[in-house]
Amino acid sequence: MMQKRLISLLLITAAVLGIGLYLSRGQQAHEGGVSGKLIEGLDQQLNDVTAIRITGAGGAVIAELAKAGDRWTVAAKDGYTADVAKIREFLIKLGNAQLREEKTSKKENYARLGVEDLSAADAKGMGVELLGLKSPVKLIVGIAGPSGDSTLVRREGEEKSFLVSGSIIPDKEPSNWLAKSIVDVASDRVRRASITDPEGKVLNIEKTDPSAFNFAVLDVPKGRQLSSESAGNQIGGALSSVNLEDVAKADAQKPEGDKFWRTSFATHDGLIVDVELWDVADKTWSRWNARVDEAQLDAWVASEKAKADAAAAAPAAAPPAEGEKPEDKPADKPAFDAAKARSDKLAEIQKQVSDLNTLASGWSFQLPSWKAANFKKTMEDLLQPKS
């Protein structure tokens, strides 16, 4: 009898525990467990987005990015080209954002998460509006979530707020949405650089041998010494990975009078890049132009032909070793075609000239201060201090 009562008690206990667990799970799911994407179907419609509008407190527009064909522009920067890769990365993050947890639906608690209405003058969040889709998308993006790879967000017009996966807080600086690259010419390609300061003093460096490590600094004053053998290398490498920090229409940002720096770079293969620079409130602005030096291109072709002729005149390779077939030996290189080499190189340089001049036409670019310094060196900058 006691055994039957014990078994019955155990069965009742198990049933109660099972019901409790079921109710507990149901309650947890009701309180916070959610699933699905923040913006359903966006990952399949990324190419349909035609504009992104980012707003802040008081509804003020922070950045407006618009698509025209395959090109994106930044409205606040006079329609200068936007960074397509950055825009696409942001849209992909939005498309992949998964709902993780339901948060507050009470207006009085929105501010803690940064998802209060943006009409408030002290709103902490940012609005993100995607245009061009069949169903409009408007979000209020709040603060970062506790994991660092999550974000608090509320869909505009809804009461519920959510914790979603991924960092989807948009960049609030319009200049950070710009396409940054201006030009990229490796230092070993540069043959000569000339810097003329606003007072007309000229500094020249050169590297006649492309394989040399250091640039030679010309016309070092008598009795003075360079700070190091590589003193001119920062100038020679100035064209490497040049990115802008900001941009303005050329007629709105230009030097006053003729007091500005002029820097010119010439490569071994015939590219010339001319840069004009001037300072405004501790920021350096610049204008750019490129052209072809066909005489230097001819010199490059002659140099390449001389190398090829020297290689062809080298002693013949040893005969095949025992057991080695003649076809295993590397084939002789074809004779150097100077006309083709010149034509191919000219087409390459003409494209570089066209790309840079098209990019820079009508614009002034602000350069990072550390990069601008290499375009504005003086002879004194390269010398040891006077004893």
Side-chain angles (χ1 to χ4, degrees), residues 70-92:
D70 293 332
R71 180 172 171 264
W72 281 84
T73 62
V74 183
K77 297 299 176 181
D78 297 311
Y80 188 78
T81 302
D83 185 341
V84 175
K86 183 181 177 79
I87 290 173
R88 186 163 183 81
E89 179 185 13
F90 179 62
L91 290 175
I92 289 173

Side-chain angles (χ1 to χ4, degrees), residues 21-31:
L21 180 61
Y22 173 82
L23 292 176
S24 174
R25 286 178 176 173
Q27 182 67 16
Q28 287 176 1
H30 175 74
E31 289 179 351

Side-chain angles (χ1 to χ4, degrees), residues 253-267:
Q253 183 56 261
K254 56 187 177 182
E256 296 182 4
D258 59 355
K259 296 296 184 182
F260 52 88
W261 296 77
R262 295 175 177 87
T263 304
S264 183
F265 298 86
T267 67

Side-chain angles (χ1 to χ4, degrees), residues 187-190 207-213 268 307:
S187 63
D188 60 3
R189 189 178 165 194
V190 175
K207 185 194 288 185
T208 55
D209 179 1
S211 64
F213 183 77
H268 291 279
K307 293 177 186 177

Side-chain angles (χ1 to χ4, degrees), residues 12-232:
I12 293 171
T13 302
V16 171
L17 289 173
I19 294 171
L21 180 61
Y22 173 82
L23 292 176
S24 174
R25 286 178 176 173
Q27 182 67 16
Q28 287 176 1
H30 175 74
E31 289 179 351
V34 290
S35 62
K37 291 194 171 183
L38 173 64
I39 308 172
E40 289 293 344
L42 176 60
D43 55 339
Q44 304 299 318
Q45 304 175 66
L46 296 182
N47 293 331
D48 296 335
V49 178
T50 58
I52 304 171
R53 185 176 295 123
I54 302 169
T55 53
V61 176
I62 293 174
E64 190 162 359
L65 312 168
K67 185 180 181 182
D70 293 332
R71 180 172 171 264
W72 281 84
T73 62
V74 183
K77 297 299 176 181
D78 297 311
Y80 188 78
T81 302
D83 185 341
V84 175
K86 183 181 177 79
I87 290 173
R88 186 163 183 81
E89 179 185 13
F90 179 62
L91 290 175
I92 289 173
K93 286 182 177 181
L94 287 177
N96 290 339
Q98 297 278 348
L99 301 176
R100 283 184 176 175
E101 186 178 345
E102 184 180 321
K103 292 297 184 179
T104 185
S105 297
K106 298 179 180 180
K107 289 185 179 181
E108 59 269 27
N109 293 332
Y110 285 163
R112 290 192 302 108
L113 308 183
V115 297
E116 67 270 42
D117 288 344
L118 295 174
S119 57
D122 59 348
K124 302 183 188 69
M126 286 187 284
V128 174
E129 182 178 1
L130 305 184
L131 307 178
L133 302 173
K134 294 179 181 179
S135 300
V137 171
K138 290 186 177 182
L139 306 172
I140 300 175
V141 180
I143 63 175
S147 69
D149 190 30
S150 58
T151 311
L152 281 305
V153 64
R154 182 167 65 89
R155 293 182 282 229
E156 190 170 301
E158 297 183 9
E159 293 184 350
K160 294 177 182 178
S161 58
F162 297 94
L163 176 70
V164 302
S165 63
S167 176
I168 61 169
I169 299 175
D171 200 314
K172 62 174 62 177
E173 290 295 331
S175 61
N176 289 342
W177 291 98
L178 295 168
K180 296 298 184 85
S181 179
I182 300 175
V183 69
D184 185 12
V185 177
S187 63
D188 60 3
R189 189 178 165 194
V190 175
R191 178 180 62 89
R192 187 180 180 94
S194 176
I195 300 177
T196 305
D197 72 13
E199 304 304 319
K201 295 179 182 178
V202 181
L203 168 63
N204 291 310
I205 66 165
E206 70 175 9
K207 185 194 288 185
T208 55
D209 179 1
S211 64
F213 183 77
N214 293 320
F215 283 84
V217 179
L218 306 184
D219 303 318
V220 175
K222 291 183 178 180
R224 301 293 302 276
Q225 290 185 325
L226 295 174
S227 58
S228 70
E229 292 182 352
S230 60

Side-chain angles (χ1 to χ4, degrees), residues 242-258:
V242 183
N243 294 324
L244 60 87
E245 281 200 339
D246 205 351
V247 66
K249 286 287 188 181
D251 57 359
Q253 183 56 261
K254 56 187 177 182
E256 296 182 4
D258 59 355

Side-chain angles (χ1 to χ4, degrees), residues 191 268-270 292-302 342:
R191 178 180 62 89
H268 291 279
D269 53 7
V292 180
D293 181 350
E294 296 211 26
Q296 181 58 37
L297 172 60
D298 290 337
W300 176 85
V301 173
R342 188 186 193 284

